[in-house]
Amino acid sequence: MSADLVQAAIAAMAKAYAPYSKFPVGAAVRGASGAVYAGCNVENAAYPQGCCAETSAISALVLGGETRLVEVAVAGPGDHLVTPCGGCRQRLREFAADAVKVHICGPEGLRRTVALGDLLPLSFGPQHLGGEGG
Ligand code: THU
């Protein structure tokens, strides 16, 4: 059920610290346990030190003792689909299979759902190094 994840991402968007871009983003990931972990973007006066919402949510997942995620939601403002940036696609891929659904949301709710493997095809991951991720 994605409704709770979508709502968590939208709620996280409202907590974003984005005084420079004025572009608040929220993200929520569901761990394999079923627990939901949310995050928001946290910008910095030294611009490159800012952190994406997806990265924050992944940190919460790991802090929660999980390293597998089974569903993702990202929420952002404006008319365009706010999809995860390239770096965050790779960060998500570390903990998720290609089939994992990524729900792209606006402030009003779900806009589109795509598979992580479609956002980052032919990706490099833990298996290349003998790991069990992905
Ligand atoms: N941002 C995210 O948090 N996630 C994305 O996938 C796209 C971009 C943030 C970074 C920055 O704080 C703001 O959106 C504008 O780029």
Side-chain angles (χ1 to χ4, degrees):
M1 182 58 183
S2 62
D4 61 334
L5 207 65
V6 168
Q7 284 312 310
I10 292 171
M13 178 172 58
K15 298 284 188 66
Y17 177 74
Y20 306 109
S21 73
K22 303 193 185 322
F23 193 84
V25 182
V29 299
R30 193 188 311 284
S33 73
V36 170
Y37 304 92
C40 60
N41 54 337
V42 181
E43 297 183 347
N44 193 282
Y47 289 1
Q49 304 307 325
C51 179
C52 283
E54 297 90 331
T55 301
S56 299
I58 289 169
S59 293
L61 171 89
V62 174
L63 183 62
E66 302 203 51
T67 54
R68 303 300 306 156
L69 63 86
V70 298
E71 196 175 10
V72 181
V74 180
D79 295 335
H80 298 284
L81 291 176
V82 178
T83 56
C85 76
C88 285
R89 294 177 194 203
Q90 184 68 39
R91 293 187 186 97
L92 290 166
R93 186 260 178 272
E94 180 75 14
F95 304 108
D98 278 354
V100 162
K101 290 178 177 172
V102 181
H103 305 295
I104 311 301
C105 312
E108 78 289 354
L110 178 64
R111 290 181 176 176
R112 182 166 163 178
T113 297
V114 295
L116 180 61
D118 290 334
L119 291 175
L120 193 68
L122 298 173
S123 63
F124 183 86
Q127 297 91 338
H128 289 83
L129 302 178
E132 294 181 359

